[in-house]
Amino acid sequence: VLGLGVLVEDITERKHAEEERAHLYREAQDAIRVRDDFLSIASHELKTPLTPLSLRLATLERRLERGEHVDPGVLRHARHQLTRLTGLINDLLDASRIEAGRLALHPEVTRFDVLVEHTLTSLEGQRGNHVFDFKPPPDPVSVHGDAYRLEQVVLNLLENALKYSPDGGTIRVRLTVNEDVTVLSVNDPGIGIPEDQQQQLFDRYFRARNASTRSYGGLGLGLYISRDIVERHGGRIWVESESGRGSTFFVALPTLSAARPPLPRAQGDR
Ligand code: ADP
């Protein structure tokens, strides 16, 4: 009886080990698939601005050679494609810095209301017929943070709001402050996010079906980078959304008086 017991135990243990191995194998396969998908999406996204860019440069070259008038619009479009390309490459670099724990923060006292206003202004040329509705609070709002990185977070939320909502829609931006937390919210009347995918939005490479199946461009890195930046400021980022009915993204940061001591600096640079 004792011998049988030992045998059963042995078989059970071996079975567990086998299951564990199978599980690890499946996880590794998944990770490889995600990376492969990402590489093909990334190459496509990086290549897309290149074709119009080189066409426009060729047109420009031809006109200049013939001594013809050059339309500044051609140059503007070319610059726009370059900006897009630079943005994608910066996101790739930031994601790999985060992976390596080398995304440096340079925190200082920052006027967050001014930063939001400034970011909205920088999007004037990109907003098409969208309306930005922003009401800054009556008193100045300061946080302890890296202005460059926080602006990147705000820009990402606003660009997503523009990208995933119909032209002409109103994007509502609010800033509320209490003793402990300063909360920024960005609301759009766009395509929304299915509930079962809302948790994953902030994962690396993740693109919800709402975006991937309707061929909106993107690398799925913006929210991943934003979450890292916000959390390293002692804050939190989350979303409330309903499919087809728009989304509201929230960023909560410690109010300056409640902020923790300066953040540890990572090695490396921007
Ligand atoms: P990207 O926009 O480049 O795909 P992000 O990390 O910024 O990457 O966003 C991840 C995913 O979250 C997007 O692919 C999209 O599915 C979803 N998403 C983000 N913002 C919005 C929004 N305002 N409305 C609807 N879906 C959104």
Side-chain angles (χ1 to χ4, degrees):
V1 169
L2 200 65
L4 194 64
V6 170
L7 187 66
V8 168
E9 212 166 88
D10 188 39
I11 289 174
T12 319
E13 236 167 60
R14 242 187 285 166
K15 205 151 184 226
H16 274 159
E18 231 165 67
E19 275 166 10
E20 178 74 0
R21 253 202 311 277
H23 177 70
L24 286 176
Y25 179 74
R26 269 197 307 277
E27 273 192 347
Q29 289 290 358
D30 280 352
I32 291 169
R33 193 177 39 75
V34 168
R35 179 149 294 225
D36 284 352
D37 286 354
F38 176 73
L39 279 178
S40 88
I41 290 171
S43 340
H44 176 77
E45 286 289 312
L46 289 171
K47 254 184 81 181
T48 306
L50 287 179
T51 312
L53 183 61
S54 85
L55 279 175
R56 292 209 159 92
L57 289 179
T59 308
L60 216 58
E61 192 180 4
R62 214 171 36 244
R63 294 231 167 114
L64 284 173
E65 271 169 6
R66 293 185 195 151
E68 288 173 5
H69 168 73
V70 171
D71 176 7
V74 177
L75 274 176
R76 211 168 23 249
H77 279 116
R79 200 161 53 79
H80 174 73
Q81 303 299 345
L82 269 181
T83 310
R84 219 182 119 191
L85 212 49
T86 311
L88 291 170
I89 292 169
N90 281 337
D91 277 358
L92 285 167
L93 287 172
D94 283 345
S96 81
R97 283 183 187 121
I98 290 172
E99 288 307 296
R102 287 203 305 112
L103 188 96
L105 291 181
H106 304 281
E108 59 199 344
V109 175
T110 301
R111 276 286 298 273
F112 198 51
D113 50 345
V114 175
L115 182 148
V116 171
E117 196 104 54
H118 179 252
T119 315
L120 285 165
T121 310
S122 75
L123 282 169
E124 268 311 300
Q126 260 172 269
R127 75 173 165 82
N129 294 313
H130 281 94
V131 178
F132 285 133
D133 168 6
F134 176 52
K135 290 201 187 74
D139 296 322
V141 181
S142 296
V143 297
H144 189 249
D146 184 322
Y148 174 82
R149 293 298 177 186
L150 289 178
E151 182 161 339
Q152 187 178 353
V153 172
V154 178
L155 189 66
N156 178 235
L157 295 183
L158 291 172
E159 281 179 340
N160 279 349
L162 289 173
K163 180 158 113 186
Y164 298 113
S165 69
D167 197 21
T170 297
I171 292 160
R172 236 170 239 105
V173 181
R174 293 290 180 269
L175 196 52
T176 55
V177 186
N178 72 28
E179 220 173 277
D180 300 324
V181 276
T182 296
V183 181
L184 173 78
S185 65
V186 176
N187 166 266
D188 70 69
I191 59 175
I193 302 141
E195 177 137 26
D196 62 329
Q197 291 166 58
Q198 291 176 13
Q199 283 299 318
Q200 292 155 274
L201 290 190
F202 304 91
D203 292 349
R204 189 171 51 149
Y205 308 148
F206 185 81
R207 313 202 65 227
R209 279 192 301 278
N210 65 359
S212 50
T213 54
R214 296 199 218 176
S215 59
Y216 289 91
L219 294 177
L221 287 175
L223 289 176
Y224 167 71
I225 296 167
S226 296
R227 183 186 61 183
D228 186 80
I229 294 171
V230 170
E231 288 183 351
R232 284 185 50 211
H233 279 82
R236 213 161 69 78
I237 184 168
W238 72 99
V239 65
E240 283 171 12
S241 176
E242 205 181 313
S243 207
R245 295 183 152 240
S247 316
T248 310
F249 283 82
F250 297 87
V251 169
L253 295 167
T255 298
L256 187 60
S257 56
R260 292 165 197 181
L263 304 150
R265 274 195 193 183
Q267 297 293 307
D269 55 11
R270 308 212 131 112

